[in-house]
Amino acid sequence: MPVLPGAEPYRHEGGEVGVLLCHGFTGSPQSLRPWAEFLAERGLTVSLPLLPGHGTRWQDMAVTGWQDWYAEVDREFRTLGGECRQVFVFGLSMGGALTLRLAARHGDAVSGIAVVNPANKVHGPAAHALPVARHLVRTTKGLANDIAKEGMDEVAYDRVPLHAAHSLRNFLRLVDGELPQVTQPMLLLHSPQDHVVPPADSARILGRVSSTDVREVLLEQSYHVATLDHDAERIFEESHAFIGRLAPSVGEKGSTTGG
């Protein structure tokens, strides 16, 4: 199947500091493309992969699961690790959960993480019905376009395949158990008005990770897809400053070249 316009993966060869960006459930790299380009313009090596089953049609996603999505970001992380002196991992929504698992499993190889409206749990009564419902109903309504800013459009599916939703639920439970293994510096940015992932998810993540270097930022003007919303520039600037503090070649020179 052809990839939807705008949903293509993005790669930029920059300096010795790399950033892996992880998009969300039923979404695509389009939601993080401005963030990726912002970092690339500042000399970083950037990888923004397209997760399996995403960016084409929901039927393709219905036959994938969390193991496929995680394997893709794990592979990209290892590739960046072979090219760069330091690697940071950033993610939105489910991409935040993927980020947290990479941090839990790869330890010091991850220099720092930034998560935007990270998902921790599938909420509501429907979540408990997923194990049975997925055999009876193929899809439910989509989660896309929770954006406050007028005129913005997220390239994402308008339906959620229930088999994939069930896999997501299992994955989030797995990641929740691994949160105490997350020790890296962490930047957590979340929207008080989020109609997809409640603020309770960010609170639980903050309470369970073992990181001691933590900065929490509220995105007051944005909904769930904050990387395309009113607070996007703040996310970009905060994350670049976060890298600059932890990667001297970025902080001192303003880029990742040299040194």
Side-chain angles (χ1 to χ4, degrees):
M1 283 297 295
V3 174
L4 295 168
E8 304 86 1
Y10 175 82
R11 193 74 154 73
H12 174 79
E13 303 298 331
E16 63 188 7
V17 177
V19 184
L20 169 63
L21 294 105
C22 309
H23 72 74
F25 182 71
T26 74
S28 75
Q30 178 260 355
S31 63
L32 300 183
R33 183 69 177 257
W35 195 3
E37 291 177 343
F38 178 96
L39 297 170
E41 288 166 3
R42 283 149 184 80
L44 293 139
T45 291
V46 179
S47 176
L48 171 53
L50 174 64
L51 299 180
H54 291 70
T56 53
R57 55 182 195 149
W58 68 258
Q59 290 89 340
D60 296 326
M61 188 179 181
V63 294
T64 66
W66 74 260
Q67 295 91 341
D68 305 300
W69 314 326
Y70 180 75
E72 182 67 22
V73 296
D74 186 76
R75 183 163 48 247
E76 285 295 318
F77 175 79
R78 293 173 190 273
T79 299
L80 280 175
E83 300 172 352
C84 300
R85 184 183 297 181
Q86 287 181 265
V87 180
F88 292 80
V89 186
F90 297 171
L92 167 69
S93 195
M94 179 187 76
L98 292 168
T99 296
L100 290 161
R101 183 156 213 252
L102 285 169
R105 294 179 69 86
H106 286 280
D108 291 342
V110 178
S111 290
I113 59 174
V115 290
V116 178
N117 292 322
N120 175 259
K121 182 180 180 181
V122 176
H123 295 268
H128 301 289
L130 276 173
V132 174
R134 66 194 175 106
H135 297 293
L136 305 173
V137 182
R138 295 186 72 188
T139 68
T140 186
K141 66 178 181 178
L143 306 167
N145 274 312
D146 188 34
I147 303 172
K149 190 175 183 179
E150 291 286 334
M152 298 303 292
D153 188 47
E154 181 188 12
V155 177
Y157 296 149
D158 60 2
R159 304 297 298 173
V160 175
L162 291 194
H163 278 296
H166 180 254
S167 184
L168 171 64
R169 180 177 180 241
N170 291 339
F171 177 62
L172 295 179
R173 292 170 73 176
L174 174 71
V175 174
D176 187 66
E178 294 177 339
L179 288 177
Q181 298 170 44
V182 176
T183 59
Q184 295 86 348
M186 180 172 74
L187 174 65
L188 190 151
L189 310 102
H190 66 99
S191 308
Q193 293 187 77
D194 185 329
H195 307 97
V196 178
V197 173
D201 283 30
S202 288
R204 181 165 176 85
I205 289 165
L206 285 169
R208 286 182 59 77
V209 297
S210 298
S211 305
T212 55
D213 181 347
V214 176
R215 174 165 163 76
E216 180 183 9
V217 176
L218 292 182
L219 306 172
E220 300 278 4
Q221 307 302 317
S222 301
Y223 295 161
H224 182 63
V225 192
T227 49
L228 296 177
D229 217 326
H230 294 293
D231 292 296
E233 285 294 327
R234 183 173 187 196
I235 294 169
F236 307 163
E237 294 284 358
E238 288 273 5
S239 66
H240 185 250
F242 175 74
I243 295 171
R245 182 167 61 81
L246 297 167
S249 61
V250 177
E252 292 170 13
K253 299 184 176 70
S255 76
T256 57
T257 54

